[in-house]
Amino acid sequence: MTIINNVEAFRCEPNVATMGFFDGVHLGHAYLVRKMIEKAHQENKKSVVVTFDQHPRIVLQQDFQPKLLTSFEERISLLARLGCDYVVVLPFTKRLAQFSAKDFLRDVLRDKINTQVLVVGHDHRFGRYREDSFAKYSEEAEQLGMSVVRTDALQASGMTVSSSAIRHELERGNVEKANAMLGHSFLIDGTVVDGQKIGRKMNFPTANVALKEPLKILPANGVYSAKIHVKGKDYDGMLNVGIRPTVDGRADDTTVECHIFDFDDNVYGEEINVYPLNFVREERKFESIDALAAQLQKDKEHVLRLLS
């Protein structure tokens, strides 16, 4: 698989493509990409995923702050794992946003990427006039010597899978359902930074995480069971997302910290990946640090049972 960041210098063989922002690279996205790859194999052509460097609404709405499921690097990595030949990253600009569907089909997909077949989801809309129908896309593609193929809807255990539905579940703390819709574990990735070391005084040292992608959504405040990858190894642990009300909590200061089981290395400055798996309890204020420490011990026992 090859990642193409400069479409102007890209010379691809005739191909079948699909396109989208693909935030989360969830089950629905994976289904679409695999259908595209299947079509490419049938046509004996290369398979291409076309995506964008940033969320389109950031360009179209200056005050828009997305709640991303995946960072750019994570999104590209997840797309690459699906097995396509190329991932083409387009800069999303105001000029590109003004392209009609026909403009995009002709000027970008056909003329720059050499796409002959575009595979779209059952309800996908693109171009400046997003109200255009699939029949309209097909007619315009045919005029350009291309074709557009529509996939059927994904049936995923009765769930309606979408990026917005996954965000909704994360905001409720329902990481189990969010992970089921993603088809992989939601990732919180960042760097371990220095903290107040209050956890260590309670015999629960924590790694405080500075997010790699500040626009990434976080699950609801609370305690979670988690898998943690740091310094090249995987560990069990528990994650706290919240304002630490027992210590010094401020409503405008959400922190991410994890206690790694059976681990006592110095990890300051290290990259860390945290995968929340199960919601354990809501964050709440305790009457004392000792009461918090006692609850953390109960939380750990609960998490160990969940992870076993």
Side-chain angles (χ1 to χ4, degrees):
M1 196 286 308
T2 304
I3 299 170
I4 305 298
N5 289 301
N6 182 4
V7 71
E8 301 298 335
F10 180 47
R11 295 294 178 267
C12 185
E13 303 95 320
N15 62 78
V16 178
T18 191
M19 65 176 183
F21 185 65
F22 299 114
D23 188 26
V25 194
H26 55 59
L27 286 176
H29 295 145
Y31 178 75
L32 174 62
V33 172
R34 290 184 176 119
K35 285 290 186 180
M36 179 273 293
I37 293 171
E38 182 181 302
K39 181 67 174 175
H41 289 164
Q42 291 170 0
E43 300 270 340
N44 196 27
K45 292 179 171 61
K46 294 296 184 181
S47 56
V48 177
V49 172
V50 179
T51 191
F52 306 106
D53 62 341
Q54 59 184 327
H55 197 292
R57 285 179 63 189
I58 293 177
V59 175
L60 300 174
Q61 298 171 239
Q62 289 186 345
D63 59 347
F64 177 69
Q65 292 287 308
K67 296 178 179 180
L68 297 176
L69 296 171
T70 41
S71 66
F72 173 78
E73 292 80 6
E74 184 188 358
R75 179 162 53 94
I76 299 305
S77 175
L78 288 167
L79 286 170
R81 290 182 204 172
L82 296 175
C84 58
D85 293 312
Y86 297 98
V87 173
V88 175
V89 181
L90 296 178
F92 195 90
T93 62
K94 289 184 177 179
R95 178 175 177 271
L96 187 65
Q98 291 303 308
F99 277 31
S100 67
K102 188 172 184 178
D103 292 338
F104 191 87
L105 285 165
R106 180 189 60 234
D107 297 350
V108 179
L109 293 180
R110 188 191 69 178
D111 294 352
K112 294 187 185 302
I113 301 176
N114 200 15
T115 297
Q116 295 185 351
V117 181
L118 175 66
V119 178
V120 297
H122 73 285
D123 60 352
H124 185 69
R125 298 285 185 272
F126 66 97
R128 185 173 72 241
Y129 308 114
R130 292 175 64 88
E131 68 275 11
D132 285 355
S133 66
F134 174 73
K136 181 70 170 175
Y137 296 147
S138 297
E139 177 186 334
E140 292 176 337
E142 188 175 348
Q143 293 169 3
L144 298 168
M146 303 171 66
S147 62
V148 181
V149 176
R150 181 167 55 181
T151 65
D152 51 353
L154 170 68
Q155 301 299 318
S157 303
M159 295 184 296
T160 300
V161 178
S162 69
S163 297
S164 57
I166 295 167
R167 291 186 198 99
H168 177 69
E169 295 301 336
L170 288 170
E171 288 170 341
R172 296 173 58 203
N174 195 348
V175 293
E176 299 97 325
K177 189 167 183 180
N179 286 342
M181 289 192 285
L182 283 166
H184 55 84
S185 296
F186 177 71
L187 167 65
I188 301 172
D189 55 341
T191 304
V192 180
V193 295
D194 207 356
Q196 295 177 319
K197 299 180 175 61
I198 294 172
R200 188 168 293 278
K201 296 175 183 176
M202 297 186 291
N203 202 31
F204 279 91
T206 60
N208 294 271
V209 183
L211 298 183
K212 182 182 291 186
E213 171 51 79
L215 295 177
K216 175 169 272 201
I217 191 172
L218 289 172
N221 289 1
V223 178
Y224 299 84
S225 68
K227 292 288 185 179
I228 299 159
H229 183 84
V230 66
K231 297 186 80 170
K233 293 184 179 180
D234 296 319
Y235 300 91
D236 292 339
M238 56 188 190
L239 164 72
N240 187 83
V241 178
I243 61 171
R244 301 188 299 180
T246 307
V247 181
D248 59 355
R250 299 199 324 265
D252 62 344
D253 185 23
T254 301
T255 62
V256 177
E257 52 187 341
C258 52
H259 173 63
I260 309 171
F261 298 162
D262 303 317
F263 184 86
D264 196 32
D265 286 358
N266 182 347
V267 290
Y268 293 127
E270 297 283 347
E271 291 188 2
I272 188 169
N273 292 343
V274 184
Y275 302 91
L277 300 178
N278 309 98
F279 180 78
V280 174
R281 65 169 174 86
E282 295 179 350
E283 185 181 50
R284 64 180 187 270
K285 185 172 183 176
F286 293 88
E287 60 186 20
S288 67
I289 294 296
D290 287 343
L292 172 58
Q295 181 61 53
L296 290 175
Q297 182 59 43
K298 293 178 182 177
D299 294 339
K300 181 174 182 178
E301 292 167 4
H302 185 182
V303 167
L304 285 169
R305 288 194 297 272
L306 287 170
L307 295 178
S308 66

mmCIF file of all heavy atoms in Angstrom, residues 47-85:
data_model
loop_
_atom_site.group_PDB
_atom_site.id
_atom_site.type_symbol
_atom_site.label_atom_id
_atom_site.label_comp_id
_atom_site.label_asym_id
_atom_site.label_seq_id
_atom_site.Cartn_x
_atom_site.Cartn_y
_atom_site.Cartn_z
ATOM 1 N N SER A 47 -6.746 -0.420 -6.692
ATOM 2 C CA SER A 47 -7.757 0.074 -5.751
ATOM 3 C C SER A 47 -7.219 1.315 -5.030
ATOM 4 O O SER A 47 -6.078 1.320 -4.562
ATOM 5 C CB SER A 47 -8.122 -1.006 -4.734
ATOM 6 O OG SER A 47 -6.975 -1.465 -4.047
ATOM 7 N N VAL A 48 -8.063 2.347 -4.965
ATOM 8 C CA VAL A 48 -7.629 3.643 -4.428
ATOM 9 C C VAL A 48 -8.667 4.174 -3.438
ATOM 10 O O VAL A 48 -9.859 4.230 -3.754
ATOM 11 C CB VAL A 48 -7.432 4.679 -5.554
ATOM 12 C CG1 VAL A 48 -7.061 6.046 -4.973
ATOM 13 C CG2 VAL A 48 -6.359 4.213 -6.537
ATOM 14 N N VAL A 49 -8.200 4.572 -2.259
ATOM 15 C CA VAL A 49 -9.031 5.304 -1.306
ATOM 16 C C VAL A 49 -8.614 6.768 -1.369
ATOM 17 O O VAL A 49 -7.436 7.089 -1.193
ATOM 18 C CB VAL A 49 -8.866 4.770 0.123
ATOM 19 C CG1 VAL A 49 -9.592 5.683 1.112
ATOM 20 C CG2 VAL A 49 -9.402 3.354 0.234
ATOM 21 N N VAL A 50 -9.579 7.649 -1.637
ATOM 22 C CA VAL A 50 -9.322 9.088 -1.675
ATOM 23 C C VAL A 50 -9.897 9.707 -0.410
ATOM 24 O O VAL A 50 -11.081 9.525 -0.100
ATOM 25 C CB VAL A 50 -9.971 9.732 -2.918
ATOM 26 C CG1 VAL A 50 -9.705 11.234 -2.932
ATOM 27 C CG2 VAL A 50 -9.444 9.088 -4.198
ATOM 28 N N THR A 51 -9.070 10.399 0.352
ATOM 29 C CA THR A 51 -9.531 11.047 1.575
ATOM 30 C C THR A 51 -8.959 12.458 1.645
ATOM 31 O O THR A 51 -8.281 12.916 0.717
ATOM 32 C CB THR A 51 -9.168 10.209 2.817
ATOM 33 O OG1 THR A 51 -9.854 10.727 3.959
ATOM 34 C CG2 THR A 51 -7.661 10.196 3.068
ATOM 35 N N PHE A 52 -9.238 13.153 2.745
ATOM 36 C CA PHE A 52 -8.868 14.567 2.862
ATOM 37 C C PHE A 52 -7.978 14.793 4.072
ATOM 38 O O PHE A 52 -8.035 14.057 5.057
ATOM 39 C CB PHE A 52 -10.127 15.433 2.957
ATOM 40 C CG PHE A 52 -11.083 15.197 1.815
ATOM 41 C CD1 PHE A 52 -12.260 14.486 2.006
ATOM 42 C CD2 PHE A 52 -10.785 15.660 0.545
ATOM 43 C CE1 PHE A 52 -13.135 14.245 0.952
ATOM 44 C CE2 PHE A 52 -11.648 15.422 -0.524
ATOM 45 C CZ PHE A 52 -12.819 14.712 -0.317
ATOM 46 N N ASP A 53 -7.168 15.828 3.988
ATOM 47 C CA ASP A 53 -6.212 16.103 5.049
ATOM 48 C C ASP A 53 -6.873 16.639 6.312
ATOM 49 O O ASP A 53 -6.336 16.504 7.408
ATOM 50 C CB ASP A 53 -5.123 17.068 4.575
ATOM 51 C CG ASP A 53 -5.672 18.431 4.170
ATOM 52 O OD1 ASP A 53 -6.886 18.543 3.905
ATOM 53 O OD2 ASP A 53 -4.878 19.395 4.107
ATOM 54 N N GLN A 54 -8.032 17.278 6.181
ATOM 55 C CA GLN A 54 -8.720 17.826 7.342
ATOM 56 C C GLN A 54 -10.226 17.722 7.148
ATOM 57 O O GLN A 54 -10.712 17.510 6.038
ATOM 58 C CB GLN A 54 -8.321 19.284 7.569
ATOM 59 C CG GLN A 54 -8.608 20.204 6.401
ATOM 60 C CD GLN A 54 -8.102 21.611 6.645
ATOM 61 O OE1 GLN A 54 -8.086 22.099 7.770
ATOM 62 N NE2 GLN A 54 -7.658 22.275 5.593
ATOM 63 N N HIS A 55 -10.947 17.847 8.249
ATOM 64 C CA HIS A 55 -12.399 17.752 8.187
ATOM 65 C C HIS A 55 -12.944 18.883 7.317
ATOM 66 O O HIS A 55 -12.618 20.053 7.533
ATOM 67 C CB HIS A 55 -12.983 17.862 9.603
ATOM 68 C CG HIS A 55 -14.391 17.379 9.708
ATOM 69 N ND1 HIS A 55 -15.439 18.037 9.099
ATOM 70 C CD2 HIS A 55 -14.932 16.312 10.342
ATOM 71 C CE1 HIS A 55 -16.564 17.403 9.366
ATOM 72 N NE2 HIS A 55 -16.285 16.347 10.114
ATOM 73 N N PRO A 56 -13.759 18.572 6.297
ATOM 74 C CA PRO A 56 -14.267 19.612 5.397
ATOM 75 C C PRO A 56 -14.942 20.779 6.110
ATOM 76 O O PRO A 56 -14.816 21.938 5.679
ATOM 77 C CB PRO A 56 -15.253 18.848 4.509
ATOM 78 C CG PRO A 56 -14.697 17.463 4.458
ATOM 79 C CD PRO A 56 -14.154 17.222 5.836
ATOM 80 N N ARG A 57 -15.630 20.515 7.222
ATOM 81 C CA ARG A 57 -16.354 21.605 7.881
ATOM 82 C C ARG A 57 -15.424 22.604 8.554
ATOM 83 O O ARG A 57 -15.824 23.735 8.838
ATOM 84 C CB ARG A 57 -17.356 21.036 8.891
ATOM 85 C CG ARG A 57 -18.593 20.430 8.215
ATOM 86 C CD ARG A 57 -19.554 19.861 9.211
ATOM 87 N NE ARG A 57 -20.098 20.857 10.121
ATOM 88 C CZ ARG A 57 -20.834 20.573 11.195
ATOM 89 N NH1 ARG A 57 -21.111 19.299 11.477
ATOM 90 N NH2 ARG A 57 -21.292 21.529 11.985
ATOM 91 N N ILE A 58 -14.167 22.218 8.811
ATOM 92 C CA ILE A 58 -13.190 23.181 9.344
ATOM 93 C C ILE A 58 -12.963 24.292 8.328
ATOM 94 O O ILE A 58 -12.800 25.466 8.672
ATOM 95 C CB ILE A 58 -11.868 22.479 9.690
ATOM 96 C CG1 ILE A 58 -12.064 21.515 10.864
ATOM 97 C CG2 ILE A 58 -10.772 23.494 10.025
ATOM 98 C CD1 ILE A 58 -10.840 20.718 11.225
ATOM 99 N N VAL A 59 -12.950 23.929 7.052
ATOM 100 C CA VAL A 59 -12.750 24.891 5.974
ATOM 101 C C VAL A 59 -14.029 25.689 5.708
ATOM 102 O O VAL A 59 -13.989 26.902 5.488
ATOM 103 C CB VAL A 59 -12.295 24.175 4.690
ATOM 104 C CG1 VAL A 59 -12.205 25.135 3.514
ATOM 105 C CG2 VAL A 59 -10.952 23.491 4.917
ATOM 106 N N LEU A 60 -15.155 25.011 5.773
ATOM 107 C CA LEU A 60 -16.429 25.641 5.411
ATOM 108 C C LEU A 60 -17.025 26.465 6.538
ATOM 109 O O LEU A 60 -17.774 27.408 6.288
ATOM 110 C CB LEU A 60 -17.423 24.556 4.986
ATOM 111 C CG LEU A 60 -16.992 23.717 3.773
ATOM 112 C CD1 LEU A 60 -17.972 22.586 3.533
ATOM 113 C CD2 LEU A 60 -16.894 24.607 2.536
ATOM 114 N N GLN A 61 -16.702 26.132 7.798
ATOM 115 C CA GLN A 61 -17.228 26.868 8.946
ATOM 116 C C GLN A 61 -16.067 27.226 9.860
ATOM 117 O O GLN A 61 -15.525 26.362 10.548
ATOM 118 C CB GLN A 61 -18.244 26.013 9.712
ATOM 119 C CG GLN A 61 -19.467 25.629 8.907
ATOM 120 C CD GLN A 61 -20.321 24.607 9.640
ATOM 121 O OE1 GLN A 61 -20.570 23.508 9.148
ATOM 122 N NE2 GLN A 61 -20.778 24.952 10.829
ATOM 123 N N GLN A 62 -15.703 28.506 9.904
ATOM 124 C CA GLN A 62 -14.502 28.925 10.625
ATOM 125 C C GLN A 62 -14.554 28.608 12.115
ATOM 126 O O GLN A 62 -13.520 28.375 12.742
ATOM 127 C CB GLN A 62 -14.278 30.427 10.430
ATOM 128 C CG GLN A 62 -13.840 30.795 9.017
ATOM 129 C CD GLN A 62 -13.492 32.261 8.892
ATOM 130 O OE1 GLN A 62 -13.820 33.070 9.755
ATOM 131 N NE2 GLN A 62 -12.822 32.620 7.806
ATOM 132 N N ASP A 63 -15.744 28.607 12.713
ATOM 133 C CA ASP A 63 -15.852 28.383 14.151
ATOM 134 C C ASP A 63 -16.135 26.920 14.499
ATOM 135 O O ASP A 63 -16.383 26.594 15.652
ATOM 136 C CB ASP A 63 -16.946 29.270 14.753
ATOM 137 C CG ASP A 63 -18.314 29.011 14.121
ATOM 138 O OD1 ASP A 63 -18.358 28.343 13.072
ATOM 139 O OD2 ASP A 63 -19.322 29.494 14.681
ATOM 140 N N PHE A 64 -16.071 26.041 13.502
ATOM 141 C CA PHE A 64 -16.379 24.630 13.741
ATOM 142 C C PHE A 64 -15.216 23.930 14.428
ATOM 143 O O PHE A 64 -14.081 24.008 13.975
ATOM 144 C CB PHE A 64 -16.718 23.926 12.427
ATOM 145 C CG PHE A 64 -16.985 22.454 12.579
ATOM 146 C CD1 PHE A 64 -18.113 22.013 13.233
ATOM 147 C CD2 PHE A 64 -16.108 21.504 12.069
ATOM 148 C CE1 PHE A 64 -18.376 20.653 13.383
ATOM 149 C CE2 PHE A 64 -16.359 20.154 12.202
ATOM 150 C CZ PHE A 64 -17.501 19.726 12.865
ATOM 151 N N GLN A 65 -15.515 23.248 15.535
ATOM 152 C CA GLN A 65 -14.517 22.464 16.259
ATOM 153 C C GLN A 65 -14.949 20.994 16.220
ATOM 154 O O GLN A 65 -15.815 20.579 16.988
ATOM 155 C CB GLN A 65 -14.406 22.939 17.710
ATOM 156 C CG GLN A 65 -13.815 24.319 17.861
ATOM 157 C CD GLN A 65 -12.318 24.330 17.598
ATOM 158 O OE1 GLN A 65 -11.577 23.542 18.174
ATOM 159 N NE2 GLN A 65 -11.876 25.211 16.732
ATOM 160 N N PRO A 66 -14.375 20.201 15.331
ATOM 161 C CA PRO A 66 -14.805 18.800 15.229
ATOM 162 C C PRO A 66 -14.414 18.001 16.460
ATOM 163 O O PRO A 66 -13.465 18.359 17.182
ATOM 164 C CB PRO A 66 -14.051 18.296 13.993
ATOM 165 C CG PRO A 66 -12.837 19.158 13.928
ATOM 166 C CD PRO A 66 -13.264 20.510 14.421
ATOM 167 N N LYS A 67 -15.164 16.963 16.716
ATOM 168 C CA LYS A 67 -14.811 15.992 17.749
ATOM 169 C C LYS A 67 -14.385 14.733 17.008
ATOM 170 O O LYS A 67 -15.205 13.871 16.681
ATOM 171 C CB LYS A 67 -16.002 15.729 18.666
ATOM 172 C CG LYS A 67 -16.450 16.950 19.453
ATOM 173 C CD LYS A 67 -17.663 16.640 20.316
ATOM 174 C CE LYS A 67 -18.098 17.850 21.134
ATOM 175 N NZ LYS A 67 -19.284 17.551 21.970
ATOM 176 N N LEU A 68 -13.100 14.634 16.737
ATOM 177 C CA LEU A 68 -12.594 13.585 15.868
ATOM 178 C C LEU A 68 -12.497 12.246 16.587
ATOM 179 O O LEU A 68 -12.090 12.164 17.745
ATOM 180 C CB LEU A 68 -11.216 13.979 15.334
ATOM 181 C CG LEU A 68 -11.163 15.238 14.460
ATOM 182 C CD1 LEU A 68 -9.716 15.558 14.090
ATOM 183 C CD2 LEU A 68 -12.005 15.062 13.202
ATOM 184 N N LEU A 69 -12.847 11.197 15.872
ATOM 185 C CA LEU A 69 -12.665 9.843 16.382
ATOM 186 C C LEU A 69 -11.237 9.357 16.171
ATOM 187 O O LEU A 69 -10.746 8.505 16.920
ATOM 188 C CB LEU A 69 -13.632 8.882 15.678
ATOM 189 C CG LEU A 69 -15.119 9.135 15.917
ATOM 190 C CD1 LEU A 69 -15.957 8.260 14.989
ATOM 191 C CD2 LEU A 69 -15.482 8.871 17.367
ATOM 192 N N THR A 70 -10.588 9.887 15.135
ATOM 193 C CA THR A 70 -9.233 9.470 14.802
ATOM 194 C C THR A 70 -8.396 10.686 14.423
ATOM 195 O O THR A 70 -8.895 11.603 13.782
ATOM 196 C CB THR A 70 -9.222 8.483 13.614
ATOM 197 O OG1 THR A 70 -10.157 8.924 12.620
ATOM 198 C CG2 THR A 70 -9.595 7.089 14.053
ATOM 199 N N SER A 71 -7.132 10.672 14.805
ATOM 200 C CA SER A 71 -6.194 11.667 14.301
ATOM 201 C C SER A 71 -5.913 11.369 12.829
ATOM 202 O O SER A 71 -6.257 10.294 12.315
ATOM 203 C CB SER A 71 -4.883 11.613 15.090
ATOM 204 O OG SER A 71 -4.223 10.364 14.854
ATOM 205 N N PHE A 72 -5.280 12.308 12.147
ATOM 206 C CA PHE A 72 -4.941 12.091 10.742
ATOM 207 C C PHE A 72 -4.089 10.843 10.574
ATOM 208 O O PHE A 72 -4.371 9.985 9.735
ATOM 209 C CB PHE A 72 -4.201 13.310 10.181
ATOM 210 C CG PHE A 72 -3.678 13.114 8.788
ATOM 211 C CD1 PHE A 72 -4.534 13.204 7.702
ATOM 212 C CD2 PHE A 72 -2.340 12.813 8.557
ATOM 213 C CE1 PHE A 72 -4.065 13.003 6.411
ATOM 214 C CE2 PHE A 72 -1.865 12.616 7.275
ATOM 215 C CZ PHE A 72 -2.729 12.719 6.197
ATOM 216 N N GLU A 73 -3.045 10.713 11.397
ATOM 217 C CA GLU A 73 -2.133 9.575 11.265
ATOM 218 C C GLU A 73 -2.842 8.254 11.529
ATOM 219 O O GLU A 73 -2.630 7.258 10.820
ATOM 220 C CB GLU A 73 -0.945 9.731 12.236
ATOM 221 C CG GLU A 73 -0.005 10.866 11.919
ATOM 222 C CD GLU A 73 -0.517 12.225 12.390
ATOM 223 O OE1 GLU A 73 -1.580 12.272 13.071
ATOM 224 O OE2 GLU A 73 0.123 13.244 12.081
ATOM 225 N N GLU A 74 -3.713 8.238 12.545
ATOM 226 C CA GLU A 74 -4.441 7.010 12.866
ATOM 227 C C GLU A 74 -5.407 6.651 11.744
ATOM 228 O O GLU A 74 -5.538 5.474 11.371
ATOM 229 C CB GLU A 74 -5.194 7.212 14.176
ATOM 230 C CG GLU A 74 -5.918 5.987 14.678
ATOM 231 C CD GLU A 74 -6.801 6.289 15.868
ATOM 232 O OE1 GLU A 74 -6.840 7.447 16.338
ATOM 233 O OE2 GLU A 74 -7.481 5.353 16.314
ATOM 234 N N ARG A 75 -6.085 7.662 11.207
ATOM 235 C CA ARG A 75 -7.045 7.415 10.119
ATOM 236 C C ARG A 75 -6.351 6.807 8.906
ATOM 237 O O ARG A 75 -6.834 5.825 8.320
ATOM 238 C CB ARG A 75 -7.721 8.742 9.754
ATOM 239 C CG ARG A 75 -8.720 8.688 8.629
ATOM 240 C CD ARG A 75 -9.635 9.912 8.656
ATOM 241 N NE ARG A 75 -8.929 11.169 8.691
ATOM 242 C CZ ARG A 75 -8.621 11.906 7.619
ATOM 243 N NH1 ARG A 75 -8.962 11.481 6.412
ATOM 244 N NH2 ARG A 75 -7.993 13.061 7.750
ATOM 245 N N ILE A 76 -5.211 7.366 8.528
ATOM 246 C CA ILE A 76 -4.484 6.854 7.366
ATOM 247 C C ILE A 76 -3.990 5.436 7.634
ATOM 248 O O ILE A 76 -4.057 4.550 6.768
ATOM 249 C CB ILE A 76 -3.307 7.776 7.008
ATOM 250 C CG1 ILE A 76 -3.817 9.179 6.644
ATOM 251 C CG2 ILE A 76 -2.502 7.195 5.851
ATOM 252 C CD1 ILE A 76 -4.847 9.213 5.545
ATOM 253 N N SER A 77 -3.511 5.181 8.839
ATOM 254 C CA SER A 77 -3.027 3.845 9.195
ATOM 255 C C SER A 77 -4.145 2.814 9.130
ATOM 256 O O SER A 77 -3.963 1.708 8.597
ATOM 257 C CB SER A 77 -2.418 3.874 10.599
ATOM 258 O OG SER A 77 -2.044 2.581 11.015
ATOM 259 N N LEU A 78 -5.319 3.171 9.650
ATOM 260 C CA LEU A 78 -6.458 2.247 9.625
ATOM 261 C C LEU A 78 -6.926 1.986 8.198
ATOM 262 O O LEU A 78 -7.271 0.851 7.841
ATOM 263 C CB LEU A 78 -7.607 2.812 10.466
ATOM 264 C CG LEU A 78 -7.401 2.780 11.987
ATOM 265 C CD1 LEU A 78 -8.448 3.645 12.681
ATOM 266 C CD2 LEU A 78 -7.462 1.350 12.515
ATOM 267 N N LEU A 79 -6.935 3.027 7.371
ATOM 268 C CA LEU A 79 -7.312 2.839 5.966
ATOM 269 C C LEU A 79 -6.322 1.916 5.261
ATOM 270 O O LEU A 79 -6.712 1.035 4.489
ATOM 271 C CB LEU A 79 -7.378 4.186 5.255
ATOM 272 C CG LEU A 79 -8.574 5.081 5.584
ATOM 273 C CD1 LEU A 79 -8.382 6.472 4.994
ATOM 274 C CD2 LEU A 79 -9.877 4.472 5.075
ATOM 275 N N ALA A 80 -5.044 2.116 5.540
ATOM 276 C CA ALA A 80 -4.011 1.307 4.885
ATOM 277 C C ALA A 80 -4.160 -0.166 5.232
ATOM 278 O O ALA A 80 -3.910 -1.045 4.397
ATOM 279 C CB ALA A 80 -2.624 1.812 5.291
ATOM 280 N N ARG A 81 -4.595 -0.453 6.467
ATOM 281 C CA ARG A 81 -4.728 -1.848 6.905
ATOM 282 C C ARG A 81 -5.820 -2.600 6.148
ATOM 283 O O ARG A 81 -5.869 -3.835 6.188
ATOM 284 C CB ARG A 81 -5.046 -1.900 8.401
ATOM 285 C CG ARG A 81 -3.899 -1.495 9.305
ATOM 286 C CD ARG A 81 -4.328 -1.628 10.749
ATOM 287 N NE ARG A 81 -3.542 -0.751 11.609
ATOM 288 C CZ ARG A 81 -3.806 -0.561 12.896
ATOM 289 N NH1 ARG A 81 -4.842 -1.193 13.452
ATOM 290 N NH2 ARG A 81 -3.064 0.246 13.619
ATOM 291 N N LEU A 82 -6.718 -1.872 5.488
ATOM 292 C CA LEU A 82 -7.828 -2.524 4.799
ATOM 293 C C LEU A 82 -7.397 -3.175 3.495
ATOM 294 O O LEU A 82 -8.167 -3.921 2.891
ATOM 295 C CB LEU A 82 -8.954 -1.519 4.555
ATOM 296 C CG LEU A 82 -9.611 -0.967 5.831
ATOM 297 C CD1 LEU A 82 -10.624 0.117 5.485
ATOM 298 C CD2 LEU A 82 -10.288 -2.094 6.618
ATOM 299 N N GLY A 83 -6.176 -2.865 3.036
ATOM 300 C CA GLY A 83 -5.631 -3.631 1.921
ATOM 301 C C GLY A 83 -5.722 -3.009 0.548
ATOM 302 O O GLY A 83 -5.508 -3.695 -0.452
ATOM 303 N N CYS A 84 -6.015 -1.707 0.458
ATOM 304 C CA CYS A 84 -6.064 -1.062 -0.858
ATOM 305 C C CYS A 84 -4.647 -0.835 -1.387
ATOM 306 O O CYS A 84 -3.664 -0.889 -0.642
ATOM 307 C CB CYS A 84 -6.822 0.259 -0.786
ATOM 308 S SG CYS A 84 -6.111 1.424 0.383
ATOM 309 N N ASP A 85 -4.546 -0.540 -2.681
ATOM 310 C CA ASP A 85 -3.232 -0.294 -3.282
ATOM 311 C C ASP A 85 -2.695 1.098 -2.946
ATOM 312 O O ASP A 85 -1.496 1.265 -2.714
ATOM 313 C CB ASP A 85 -3.314 -0.451 -4.803
ATOM 314 C CG ASP A 85 -3.602 -1.880 -5.224
ATOM 315 O OD1 ASP A 85 -2.921 -2.794 -4.711
ATOM 316 O OD2 ASP A 85 -4.505 -2.093 -6.055
#
